[in-house]
Amino acid sequence: MSKVIMTVDDSASIRQMVSFTLRDAGYEVIEAVDGKDALGKVDAQALNMVITDLNMPNLDGISLIRALRALPSCKFIPIVMLTTESQVEKKQEGKAAGATGWIVKPFKPEQLIAVVKKVLG
Amino acid sequence: MMDKHREAFREEAHELLTELETALLELERMPSDEEVIGRVFRAMHTIKGSGAMFGFDRVAAFTHDVETVYDRVRNGKFLVTKLLIDMTLSARDEILKMIDDTEQGETEDNAITEAISRSFRDMLLAPETPPSVDVPVDVSVDATGDTGQPVIDAPEAPSVDEREVTYRIRFRPESGIFTSGTNPTLLLNELRDLGPCDIIANTDSIPFLDIMDSEVCYTAWDIILTTTQDKNAIRDVFIFVEDNCDLHIDVIDDSNQTDAKPEYKKLGEILVERGDLNANELKTVLDAQKRIGSLLVDSGMVSTDQVQAALVEQQHIREMRLKRQASESTASIRVPAEKLDNLVNMVGELVTVQSRLSQLAARFNDLSLIQVAEEVERLTAELRDNTMSIRMLPIGATFSRFERLVRDLSTELGKDIVLNTEGAETELDKTVIEKLNDPLIHIIRNSIDHGIEMPEARKLAGKPEQGTVNLSAEHSGANVFIRISDDGAGFDVEAIRTKAVEKGMIAPDAVLSEKEIFSLTLTPGFSMAKNITNVSGRGVGMDVVKKGIDALQGTIEMVSKKGVGTTITLKLPLTMAIIDGLLVQIENVHYIMPLAAIEECVELTREDVASAHGKHIARIRGEIVPYIRLREMFMHGGMAPAIEQIVTARIDDVRVGFVVDQVVGQHQTVIKSMSRMYRDIEHVSGATILGDGNVALILDLPKLAQHAEMIEKQARHD
């Protein structure tokens, strides 16, 4: 059974690109437009991984990560944050919230796959 | 694919820019509304991020400055002014233009964008409105800059010209590592991809089950990795966990040190270098005279795991250095075979002398002498193994000789046959290869002559006209298996049986397994040639093959199916010069039995003998095993001890016991051939000199079994 990855991003084009790339690599993808939307979709299906943007309306990425980690089903899954910021603080904030790793935008599809493989095995 | 994404981005950007415009106008009315500032920032942020993703680099670069300004606004460092709104609005229009322009290519309006960018940058350089700590701002945007992105294309990264470096990586993840979604085993697997890798888990910190928290990571790892990648590539593996673990990466060996000996640092040194132990502690312990590893563990200074890890490091480096040396000195020298034989002989004598030394040392019970004896024993064993490996030759040369044989023979017979060989690189002792030649020729000839049918017959049987003979060799433990298979007619079990009955070899009502029937063809005087096929031919008896393989201490197994083909498997020992033997004793005479065939040793008491009613049969693990009393066979006088030993061996798939007085033990046996006068003696395949200088005969167990069988048969006939 293919692994399920949720991509959370308020930018439709990024979502599209992430989903396309991941589906192409054989993963199943669930899309969410922001943190709130993501939390609403978590229960629907067991997730193997979450890729989330940080800056989003309604519920931002950091808060989403915190909320996910509080759920038993998401306690140990890899969560990777997409960030345009190269600033250390943001990364650290994310890591402190429970993020597994990060991908810095802009990234190429291959880089996305490489990071997914790295944390998902 | 990219174009599709670009189009999607363009659409999205239009929406975002519209949203931006609305937000900006709202902001003008409510300059301190955080929510609206957030919307402006996010719009800029997304345009920048997504723009860079889909190749709108100019948009991304341009938007970056604007976004940076709004980031400050968001953090309360700048106030929203009318000027800022004006600037942002014009910037927004510029972005829109850029996004649409890119369709035609690069825009020429560089001047305007430059001007806008400059004014934003000026703003950043100006003192912040609410005076606060001056934060150095990075205004340059480069999409590929050091963003902390994991170096994804590490494998292609220019590595230092194939130089192999060995690293010691100590990785102790934080106890809460699992809750960040990190799976440490994935990291270890990633390291494995970088090169030869030894990984030791340090499990010292794992508590007892009752207090263990399954969500906590208690394990740490020591990894010894040899790779051509540089340190950064290793760091990259850990990029996501760098802050959540204790990570040390040290170079411990470098292939540039070509003169380095395979001997690596001593265990103690490694532990000290790793900081697991301090030098003084080491010194105190070193004064004692035990293996340092166990001593250190006993004294509680380091744990077993730590010692284990250090030992693995030592081993890893040793192997790497050895490999390096091997690759550096691939040059070979030619040596006359005679010199090699001499060397082997001398090593053989040395082994003999060494075992005498060991015996003496044991008898005098002198500690210093025992020490020397043990040292000599170790060296001798190494010397023996090395010398034996020199004698090993690939069997390929022999194989290629057969190609010619197959070609010539098949043309002569009007058959179309191809020979496939496999495992030509398999190594065997030189003498074994030499003696293998004739048996192999016989078998292959048989296959071509009697096995593979004429092309017409094959066609009728629905087989390809071209017949195939496969010749393969492979290692398995201390043996080499050589397989000769053909897709010919196979043995006709019934025909063989009829012939055997005709010749009086078996009783007409004898119940024989297929295997037993096949093995009949190995009996002297049984010629398959005239019986199974009518090809007039060389009629090479398989008994010749059997003899040859027996001489090599090997065994033959045949599998055949009528109409499908025959496979003959030869199992041969790797070497002939020195074998592992079992030293046994009858009265005061010693004999050696080749260990390869021996299964077990069990006691035989007088009661056992009595209960068998004079029959030479013992019940071993529920199986009836016939045995041979070597005492009687070799006509030793005297009385057998109350408890004798049966050594059971498997010969041609039948268990046979050999009764001796006493089993002394395992013995490294240097085989000496008997002088010409004794050469024809059956039951004995050679002799060896024991540690005390006495001679022990090496028994030929299959021959002994055959002999006993013959006597039995005669007895029955009488």
Side-chain angles (χ1 to χ4, degrees):
Chain A
M1 211 188 83
S2 57
K3 292 190 169 160
V4 184
I5 302 176
M6 180 189 268
T7 165
V8 190
D9 206 309
D10 55 336
S11 159
S13 54
I14 299 268
R15 274 204 315 274
Q16 190 190 36
M17 185 260 197
V18 170
S19 319
F20 185 88
T21 309
L22 293 178
R23 288 206 177 101
D24 215 36
Y27 297 101
E28 201 176 312
V29 184
I30 299 176
E31 294 185 23
V33 296
D34 57 40
K36 208 170 156 197
D37 187 27
L39 281 179
K41 287 177 175 166
V42 164
D43 292 332
Q45 194 168 2
L47 295 178
N48 297 100
M49 179 178 175
V50 174
I51 299 173
T52 177
D53 192 22
L54 288 184
N55 273 294
M56 293 180 295
N58 298 326
L59 187 68
D60 69 10
I62 304 280
S63 314
L64 172 66
I65 294 172
R66 258 186 226 119
L68 286 175
R69 284 291 180 230
L71 300 172
S73 63
C74 297
K75 195 162 182 183
F76 300 112
I77 64 167
I79 302 179
V80 169
M81 47 190 169
L82 298 181
T83 161
T84 31
E85 281 123 316
S86 50
Q87 289 108 315
V88 194
E89 314 95 68
K90 211 62 190 188
K91 261 185 238 160
Q92 274 175 347
E93 204 184 325
K95 285 235 58 180
T100 312
W102 58 86
I103 305 175
V104 180
K105 289 191 260 185
F107 56 86
K108 297 198 203 88
E110 308 87 70
Q111 294 174 312
L112 174 69
I113 294 296
V115 171
V116 170
K117 289 236 165 79
K118 181 182 178 73
V119 297
L120 202 53
Chain B
M1 170 210 135
M2 208 57 195
D3 280 343
K4 200 178 91 197
H5 292 312
R6 281 173 73 99
E7 202 40 61
F9 167 70
R10 211 168 270 142
E11 265 171 46
E12 188 186 2
H14 280 132
E15 279 169 35
L16 284 168
L17 290 172
T18 316
E19 151 74 12
L20 179 62
E21 198 168 30
T22 332
L24 281 171
L25 296 175
E26 252 178 72
L27 189 61
E28 196 165 19
R29 287 198 302 276
M30 306 173 280
S32 53
D33 187 320
E34 277 182 31
E35 204 254 301
V36 184
I37 296 174
R39 272 164 60 199
V40 173
F41 174 78
R42 252 197 324 273
M44 291 291 180
H45 183 81
T46 308
I47 290 170
K48 181 186 111 180
S50 308
M53 296 267 317
F54 303 111
F56 294 86
D57 292 342
R58 282 186 62 238
V59 175
F62 177 75
T63 317
H64 176 77
D65 293 327
V66 188
E67 183 206 349
T68 315
V69 169
Y70 274 91
D71 190 30
R72 297 226 179 154
V73 173
R74 198 168 58 146
N75 295 331
K77 287 176 184 163
F78 280 163
L79 287 181
V80 178
T81 57
K82 168 112 190 9
L83 176 69
L84 180 62
I85 302 279
D86 285 348
M87 275 166 63
T88 320
L89 280 172
S90 54
R92 178 231 164 243
D93 297 343
E94 201 53 35
I95 295 171
L96 183 64
K97 222 189 284 173
M98 273 193 256
I99 287 172
D100 289 340
D101 264 358
T102 343
E103 263 164 277
Q104 290 97 36
E106 284 298 302
T107 169
E108 68 286 359
D109 290 334
N110 281 333
I112 307 172
T113 39
E114 250 318 297
I116 299 175
S117 284
R118 206 176 308 123
S119 53
F120 272 101
R121 261 178 244 151
D122 287 346
M123 203 168 207
L124 286 170
L125 293 173
E128 294 165 0
T129 324
S132 70
V133 200
D134 186 32
V135 186
V137 181
D138 177 17
V139 286
S140 69
V141 153
D142 58 328
T144 57
D146 176 27
T147 49
Q149 185 86 276
V151 181
I152 298 307
D153 35 17
E156 287 89 37
S159 59
V160 196
D161 59 81
E162 290 309 292
R163 212 181 87 202
E164 280 200 339
V165 179
T166 303
Y167 296 93
R168 175 202 301 136
I169 304 158
R170 310 200 83 184
F171 171 50
R172 178 176 282 280
E174 253 175 31
S175 56
I177 191 98
F178 294 147
T179 50
S180 72
T182 303
N183 182 349
T185 50
L186 292 178
L187 299 176
L188 298 177
N189 285 343
E190 243 183 281
L191 286 178
R192 280 202 185 91
D193 291 340
L194 294 179
C197 195
D198 278 311
I199 300 175
I200 315 95
N202 187 326
T203 52
D204 294 343
S205 325
I206 300 183
F208 287 112
L209 267 181
D210 52 344
I211 50 167
M212 191 175 111
D213 179 352
S214 62
E215 293 185 359
V216 166
C217 179
Y218 296 103
T219 315
W221 286 272
D222 278 357
I223 302 111
I224 309 297
L225 169 71
T226 301
T227 178
T228 50
Q229 304 282 331
D230 61 358
K231 209 166 175 172
N232 284 333
I234 300 176
R235 284 221 167 268
D236 267 337
V237 170
F238 294 99
I239 184 163
F240 291 153
V241 292
E242 250 175 342
D243 304 330
N244 310 81
C245 70
D246 198 8
L247 181 68
H248 299 280
I249 304 174
D250 298 303
V251 177
I252 51 172
D253 190 42
D254 193 321
S255 63
N256 275 8
Q257 310 167 284
T258 44
D259 53 336
K261 289 195 205 119
E263 280 73 43
Y264 182 56
K265 290 168 191 140
K266 298 236 170 70
L267 173 58
E269 289 173 35
I270 299 175
L271 284 166
V272 170
E273 194 186 291
R274 288 160 160 242
D276 291 337
L277 182 76
N278 77 39
N280 285 335
E281 287 171 329
L282 173 66
K283 201 167 169 298
T284 351
V285 174
L286 269 184
D287 293 339
Q289 274 291 328
K290 239 188 181 186
R291 291 285 300 207
I292 173 140
S294 50
L295 264 173
L296 289 170
V297 173
D298 290 348
S299 64
M301 289 174 205
V302 293
S303 71
T304 325
D305 280 346
Q306 282 167 328
V307 170
Q308 199 51 41
L311 282 174
V312 168
E313 171 174 336
Q314 204 177 28
Q315 183 64 25
H316 184 101
I317 297 281
R318 229 179 250 161
E319 275 164 21
M320 282 304 147
R321 289 193 180 162
L322 275 175
K323 217 176 90 196
R324 210 183 299 144
Q325 279 181 350
S327 68
E328 272 152 14
S329 52
T330 41
S332 58
I333 47 165
R334 255 169 193 283
V335 175
E338 194 185 313
K339 280 192 178 178
L340 217 55
D341 289 343
N342 280 340
L343 182 65
V344 171
N345 273 337
M346 268 159 12
V347 170
E349 309 236 334
L350 188 64
V351 170
T352 311
V353 173
Q354 173 265 316
S355 61
R356 280 173 71 180
L357 178 65
S358 296
Q359 267 190 14
L360 277 179
R363 198 192 307 157
F364 289 126
N365 205 17
D366 176 3
L367 211 63
S368 51
L369 184 60
I370 288 177
Q371 223 168 28
V372 176
E374 278 175 359
E375 193 81 338
V376 172
E377 189 174 336
R378 188 178 60 79
L379 283 173
T380 316
E382 267 175 40
L383 185 62
R384 188 199 66 216
D385 290 348
N386 273 313
T387 316
M388 288 303 140
S389 72
I390 297 176
R391 286 167 58 98
M392 295 295 195
L393 288 177
I395 201 166
T398 314
F399 276 10
S400 56
R401 216 176 304 159
F402 295 134
E403 265 164 48
R404 180 66 192 273
L405 175 82
V406 170
R407 193 189 153 275
D408 290 356
L409 211 54
S410 56
T411 325
E412 200 179 305
L413 293 168
K415 297 180 182 178
D416 186 6
I417 300 170
V418 62
L419 176 77
N420 294 326
T421 59
E422 205 180 302
E425 71 288 343
T426 310
E427 289 191 329
L428 264 169
D429 191 281
K430 183 167 121 331
T431 45
V432 177
I433 290 190
E434 281 162 8
K435 289 186 182 159
L436 198 57
N437 199 32
D438 283 353
L440 277 179
I441 288 183
H442 287 319
I443 295 173
I444 293 176
R445 270 190 178 164
N446 266 333
S447 279
I448 298 172
D449 208 350
H450 315 306
I452 298 199
E453 316 90 325
M454 298 300 282
E456 307 84 65
R458 292 181 63 86
K459 210 169 172 184
L460 278 177
K463 293 190 203 177
E465 282 181 39
Q466 190 179 51
T468 318
V469 176
N470 285 307
L471 188 55
S472 76
E474 64 170 330
H475 268 185
S476 172
N479 293 299
V480 168
F481 288 92
I482 296 181
R483 231 165 251 124
I484 308 97
S485 61
D486 64 59
D487 62 348
F491 288 174
D492 187 334
V493 179
E494 273 315 305
I496 298 174
R497 197 192 158 91
T498 317
K499 191 70 199 170
V501 173
E502 221 171 86
K503 290 213 162 191
M505 292 161 74
I506 52 170
D509 55 350
V511 181
L512 293 176
S513 70
E514 225 173 51
K515 222 174 196 174
E516 283 168 316
I517 290 178
F518 291 153
S519 66
L520 285 174
T521 61
L522 300 174
T523 328
F526 191 99
S527 171
M528 296 167 17
K530 285 158 209 132
N531 305 306
I532 297 172
T533 65
N534 281 321
V535 181
S536 68
R538 293 158 173 81
V540 179
M542 283 293 283
D543 61 308
V544 180
V545 174
K546 170 92 173 139
K547 226 180 200 163
I549 301 301
D550 280 350
L552 289 169
Q553 306 282 346
T555 59
I556 305 178
E557 199 189 293
M558 289 188 280
V559 181
S560 182
K561 203 159 180 208
K562 197 182 170 188
V564 178
T566 308
T567 301
I568 297 174
T569 307
L570 309 179
K571 180 180 167 191
L572 299 161
L574 275 177
T575 176
M576 289 285 301
I578 297 184
I579 58 163
D580 275 323
L582 188 72
L583 187 61
V584 298
Q585 198 177 352
I586 302 170
E587 287 292 307
N588 50 2
V589 182
H590 287 96
Y591 297 93
I592 297 276
M593 299 183 178
L595 198 61
I598 288 169
E599 290 195 326
E600 63 179 332
C601 305
V602 291
E603 286 183 352
L604 177 72
T605 59
R606 290 222 172 105
E607 292 81 68
D608 294 336
V609 178
S611 66
H613 308 292
K615 289 206 179 89
H616 284 184
I617 284 171
R619 183 177 277 273
I620 298 170
R621 301 189 199 292
E623 200 183 327
I624 304 283
V625 178
Y627 61 77
I628 300 163
R629 300 186 74 95
L630 293 184
R631 169 178 281 276
E632 286 163 18
M633 193 160 220
F634 294 140
M635 295 178 205
H636 285 284
M639 273 288 286
I643 299 172
E644 293 171 281
Q645 302 284 331
I646 308 181
V647 179
T648 68
R650 193 163 283 275
I651 295 159
D652 295 335
D653 249 3
V654 177
R655 283 182 94 184
V656 181
F658 297 90
V659 179
V660 298
D661 286 4
Q662 204 190 334
V663 174
V664 180
Q666 205 169 323
H667 187 266
Q668 283 291 332
T669 311
V670 182
I671 302 179
K672 300 274 177 196
S673 44
M674 310 276 269
S675 81
R676 199 168 298 168
M677 272 169 80
Y678 304 105
R679 189 153 281 175
D680 290 335
I681 295 184
E682 288 197 342
H683 323 323
V684 170
S685 59
T688 190
I689 301 165
L690 298 176
D692 57 7
N694 278 326
V695 172
L697 296 177
I698 302 168
L699 301 180
D700 187 335
L701 300 183
K703 285 272 169 56
L704 277 170
Q706 265 174 29
H707 181 79
E709 215 173 310
M710 231 162 65
I711 293 176
E712 184 108 341
K713 253 184 218 156
Q714 270 171 5
R716 230 182 285 153
H717 281 275
D718 290 346

